[in-house]
Amino acid sequence: MRILVVDDEKLLVKGIKFNLENEGYQVDVGYDGIEAVEKARVGNYDLIILDLMMPRLDGLNACMQIRAFSTVPIVMLTAKSEDTDKLLGFEYGADDYITKPFNVLELKARIRALLRRSNLQSNAGPAEDNSAAIAIGHIVIDSLRRHAEQSGVAVELTAKEFDLIELLMKNPGRVYSRENLLDIVWGYDYHGDIRTVDVHIRRLREKLEPDPANPARIMTKWGVGYYLKAET
């Protein structure tokens, strides 16, 4: 597994690199946002760790540029703890978020969780039949290949986006509160803002609904939560 770590704090980068290499990962490093984008474009990484505040190009814009050509899992690091910063990270395409200072054991756990999800596709290989495919209306997903389509057109989803739509697709009609979705998709130990769910639902609608402003499948139950509208 190859991981790219980018942060302008060289001592921190050195420490993360040391700890991850002790876990058996191959680790490349960088020190600004432009370097992050350039390396991500050619490096074929399994996961990227990006600092939020970096010279030349900040982590948010680096994340957005990487998302233009890759769905590689991205973990954002920041010294800020405001919820708005975390929501911005998810808006720009991050999969997870850790606030400095952090326990390296927590970072390793987050990395393992993201890698497990993102590697399901490559480990499973091509499906021999359609048993893993779920189609409801114009949305089709394949859980084995971690593949999604909207009206027959392939759509690139981040790891968390796929986990979220997969849960809803497998349980059509069931309404999940935001708290439920945080617990199931992000994990019980996740302590992020509940609005994270709203951000991901909006991004799913933008990618999977022909008219995101008037969704036909990814629905809101006002005052309760979200659900996937079943065939009628």
Side-chain angles (χ1 to χ4, degrees):
M1 294 287 180
R2 296 189 65 201
I3 295 177
L4 174 64
V5 180
V6 185
D7 193 310
D8 60 333
E9 296 182 46
K10 294 188 176 182
L11 187 59
L12 177 63
V13 169
K14 182 178 180 180
I16 294 175
K17 177 179 171 67
F18 174 80
N19 279 280
L20 294 184
E21 286 181 339
N22 281 345
E23 294 289 317
Y25 299 112
Q26 297 179 31
V27 182
D28 290 343
V29 302
Y31 304 102
D32 64 62
I34 291 178
E35 192 175 5
V37 176
E38 292 173 347
K39 290 192 172 185
R41 193 180 299 277
V42 300
N44 193 28
Y45 295 104
D46 297 288
L47 184 137
I48 296 175
I49 299 172
L50 282 180
D51 183 38
L52 180 64
M53 303 300 294
M54 293 188 292
R56 295 212 292 168
L57 183 69
D58 64 50
L60 290 177
N61 283 290
C63 181
M64 182 176 65
Q65 290 189 27
I66 292 170
R67 278 287 169 258
F69 59 82
S70 174
T71 59
V72 60
I74 296 176
V75 179
M76 299 292 297
L77 302 179
T78 180
K80 296 183 177 181
S81 60
E82 289 84 355
D83 291 333
T84 52
D85 294 312
K86 296 182 179 180
L87 292 175
L88 271 176
F90 290 125
E91 285 276 12
Y92 280 65
D95 293 286
D96 208 345
Y97 212 104
I98 298 181
T99 303
K100 301 175 184 176
F102 55 84
N103 187 313
V104 71
L105 295 177
E106 179 187 5
L107 177 62
K108 291 178 182 178
R110 300 282 188 93
I111 289 172
R112 286 194 296 269
L114 283 173
L115 288 175
R116 277 198 302 269
R117 293 188 180 101
S118 65
N119 286 329
L120 285 176
Q121 175 179 347
S122 58
N123 290 340
E128 294 298 326
D129 53 42
N130 292 324
S131 60
I134 304 172
I136 298 179
H138 58 273
I139 303 174
V140 179
I141 65 168
D142 186 318
S143 295
L144 287 180
R145 296 188 295 127
R146 304 278 288 181
H147 176 78
E149 295 181 1
Q150 190 263 94
S151 301
V153 179
V155 176
E156 295 290 343
L157 301 179
T158 66
K160 282 294 191 297
E161 289 168 356
F162 190 92
D163 291 342
L164 183 54
I165 192 62
E166 180 184 39
L167 175 67
L168 297 177
M169 291 279 285
K170 286 183 174 180
N171 300 277
R174 176 175 175 179
V175 180
Y176 290 90
S177 69
R178 292 168 177 80
E179 292 85 356
N180 289 157
L181 293 172
L182 276 179
D183 288 343
I184 296 170
V185 177
W186 279 264
Y188 288 99
D189 58 347
Y190 180 78
H191 301 295
D193 191 287
I194 197 169
R195 290 172 295 174
T196 297
V197 175
D198 300 330
V199 170
H200 281 73
I201 289 291
R202 183 168 69 251
R203 290 174 62 86
L204 284 174
R205 285 173 173 163
E206 290 170 352
K207 294 180 179 183
L208 294 174
E209 293 281 11
D211 183 0
N214 297 286
R217 294 294 168 187
I218 305 171
M219 312 301 291
T220 299
K221 185 73 169 180
W222 295 109
V224 183
Y226 299 104
Y227 67 100
L228 199 292
K229 185 178 180 181
E231 294 282 9
T232 56

